């Protein structure tokens, strides 16, 4: 594939504002790069300035290389990519709130919000906000981001998509009541924490969809990242430990995608016009029908439990506008 989308999106997302968390590496980088090359205005929500600057420089270099080769299939030729970065460190809810404040100050409309950033660690670790790190980065920080963006999106009245990058690993998760409410596990397992967070993300999609019944121009979709190994989390020193069995199983089953492959599914979910109105869809690959996630993910009692406790946990960060739209659930 050469890092480029294997099919063209029509129409191209020219002028659309796309925000992607963790857009500086892996699937997030490939997604952001492809959408920027298609003409979208891309905002990378990244952990540090250095990561943002480095990602943009790399994108620009790859864009220039494609243009020099005349490889323009599915992209827009112009002088420079419309891509910028802003710091949004998901390990800090204060940083998330600063990013939200910055975006509100721009007056921009969000056309696509891609919740991609994730982490994994075998060793239990807590953020300064006192949440287990996998829980905060993969789930609750994205919930906070969505909660503040929902009023802006719905008030704008434009078509919009929220795309959540989850994983088929959720199929192996057993809903952990204590972890859902407090981010603490009786016997911590990095794999179980990651699997539960991916489960929580799909549950969040179902709960958000209830709100979006009142806002038909806004859709929420989930996409399988299709990749779970040390390469998925290059900045985590523990991510490679204990993954051999899971890695081999995924590879043998053909479910271990390269970054460009995972990005293709994400771009499809974010931009393909044929998916308009198809909220609550879970996609494993592009141009495929939506699939059913696990029974646990579709359990309405678990969804309600998670929703209730998440709002309680984030109460000090949710303003009146957030609480009003979340109450439509």
């Amino acid at each position: 594939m050469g890092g480029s989308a294997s099919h063209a999106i029509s129409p191209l997302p020219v002028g659309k504002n796309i925000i992607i968390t963790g857009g500086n590496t892996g699937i997030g980088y490939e997604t952001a790069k492809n959408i920027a090359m298609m003409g979208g205005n891309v905002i990378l929500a990244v952990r540090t300035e250095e990561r943002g600057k480095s990602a943009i420089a790399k994108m620009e270099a790859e864009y220039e290389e494609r243009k020099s080769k005349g490889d323009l299939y599915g992209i827009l030729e112009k002088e420079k990519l419309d891509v910028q970065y802003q710091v949004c460190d998901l390990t800090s809810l204060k940083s998330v709130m600063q990013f939200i404040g910055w975006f509100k100050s721009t007056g921009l409309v969000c056309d696509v919000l891609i919740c991609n950033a994730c982490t994994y660690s075998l060793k239990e670790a807590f953020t300064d906000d006192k949440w287990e790190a996998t829980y905060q980065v993969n789930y609750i920080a994205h919930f906070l981001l969505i909660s503040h963006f929902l009023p802006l999106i719905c008030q704008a009245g434009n078509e919009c998509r929220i795309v959540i990058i989850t994983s088929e690993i959720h199929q192996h998760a057993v809903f952990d009541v204590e972890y859902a409410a407090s981010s603490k596990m009786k016997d911590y397992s990095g794999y179980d924490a990651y699997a539960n967070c991916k489960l929580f993300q799909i549950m969040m999609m179902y709960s958000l969809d209830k709100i979006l019944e009142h806002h038909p121009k806004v859709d929420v979709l989930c996409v399988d990242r299709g990749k779970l190994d040390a390469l998925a989390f290059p900045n985590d020193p523990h991510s490679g430990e204990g993954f051999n069995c899971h890695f081999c199983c995924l590879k043998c089953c053909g479910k271990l995608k390269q970054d460009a492959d995972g990005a293709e599914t994400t771009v499809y979910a974010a931009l393909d016009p044929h998916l308009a109105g198809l909220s609550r869809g879970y996609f494993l690959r592009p141009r495929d029908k939506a699939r059913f996630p696990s029974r646990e993910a579709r359990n309405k009692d678990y969804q309600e439990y998670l929703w209730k406790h998440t709002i309680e946990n984030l109460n000090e960060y949710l303003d009146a506008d957030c609480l009003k739209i979340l109450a439509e659930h």
Side-chain angles (χ1 to χ4, degrees):
M1 293 180 62
S4 61
S6 63
H7 73 292
I9 295 288
S10 180
L12 292 174
V14 179
K16 288 184 177 291
N17 299 312
I18 292 91
I19 299 171
I20 179 166
T21 63
N24 61 294
T25 188
I27 290 172
Y29 171 82
E30 293 294 334
T31 299
K33 178 187 70 176
N34 286 336
I35 293 176
M37 288 186 183
M38 292 176 188
N41 301 327
V42 176
I43 300 171
L44 309 178
V46 296
R47 190 169 183 177
T48 65
E49 289 190 9
E50 291 75 18
R51 294 182 186 188
K53 290 177 181 178
S54 176
I56 291 175
K58 183 180 177 184
M59 281 184 202
E60 292 286 5
E62 291 185 40
Y63 185 51
E64 290 302 319
E65 182 180 3
R66 284 194 65 177
K67 288 193 295 182
S68 68
K69 293 179 178 179
D71 180 12
L72 302 176
Y73 176 73
I75 70 172
L76 186 69
E77 185 175 15
K78 55 183 180 179
E79 183 178 349
K80 190 176 181 182
L81 296 176
D82 288 317
V83 58
Q84 62 178 298
Y85 74 87
Q86 284 293 324
V87 172
C88 182
D89 182 357
L90 299 180
T91 66
S92 166
L93 296 183
K94 178 180 178 182
S95 178
V96 175
M97 291 299 296
Q98 289 173 339
F99 175 81
I100 291 166
W102 166 81
F103 185 79
K104 289 180 178 179
S105 72
T106 66
L108 294 172
V109 173
C110 176
D111 296 295
V112 181
L113 173 61
I114 302 175
C115 298
N116 162 76
C118 64
T119 191
Y120 169 91
S121 175
L122 285 180
K123 298 181 180 180
E124 186 175 32
F126 290 86
T127 68
D128 290 341
D129 297 302
K130 302 187 178 357
W131 300 110
E132 190 273 322
T134 304
Y135 175 90
Q136 178 161 330
V137 172
N138 295 7
Y139 173 62
I140 203 167
H142 280 117
F143 188 105
L144 178 60
L145 195 63
I146 292 170
S147 296
H148 278 272
F149 271 76
L150 266 182
L152 301 177
I153 291 168
C154 294
Q155 288 169 14
N158 297 338
E159 289 188 0
C160 176
R161 286 186 201 169
I162 300 168
V163 180
I164 303 166
I165 313 304
T166 182
S167 169
E168 272 288 85
I169 295 300
H170 87 275
Q171 298 278 4
H172 305 289
V174 177
F175 185 72
D176 189 316
V177 174
E178 184 176 353
Y179 187 64
S182 68
S183 85
K184 295 181 175 64
M185 284 186 171
K186 185 176 181 180
D187 298 304
Y188 183 80
S189 159
Y191 182 81
D192 289 342
Y194 182 84
N196 262 270
C197 286
K198 293 304 169 184
L199 178 68
F200 297 166
Q201 289 178 325
I202 297 175
M203 290 178 167
M204 175 171 62
M205 174 187 72
Y206 279 105
S207 295
L208 288 170
D209 185 63
K210 294 179 182 178
I211 294 173
L212 298 180
E213 290 177 0
H214 309 287
H215 307 278
K217 289 188 176 182
V218 185
D219 298 320
V220 57
L221 306 171
C222 276
V223 169
D224 167 45
R225 68 181 289 111
K227 181 174 181 180
L228 185 61
D229 67 303
L231 296 176
F233 312 110
N235 299 312
D236 189 333
H238 310 302
S239 64
E241 301 174 22
F243 260 93
N244 290 340
C245 290
H246 300 300
F247 177 87
C248 291
C249 288
L250 287 168
K251 187 174 183 179
C252 289
C253 293
K255 292 186 177 181
L256 190 65
K257 303 175 188 174
Q258 297 301 313
D259 291 334
D261 298 322
E264 186 181 356
T265 311
T266 307
V267 171
Y268 169 72
L271 301 178
D272 198 294
H274 297 98
L275 298 182
L278 188 64
S279 193
R280 204 177 61 183
Y282 173 53
F283 294 91
L284 301 183
R285 57 189 63 87
R287 302 177 303 285
D288 193 12
K289 64 182 180 180
R291 304 301 182 99
F292 282 110
S294 69
R295 289 181 180 272
E296 298 268 300
R298 290 176 280 135
N299 186 302
K300 293 182 180 180
D301 290 336
Y302 290 163
Q303 292 169 12
E304 290 295 329
Y305 180 89
L306 179 66
W307 184 262
K308 173 179 176 292
H309 283 280
T310 304
I311 291 176
E312 289 177 357
N313 290 338
L314 288 174
N315 185 61
E316 65 178 291
Y317 297 98
L318 301 174
D319 61 21
D321 289 336
C322 295
L323 293 173
K324 181 179 178 181
I325 199 160
L326 294 175
E328 294 180 21
H329 167 69

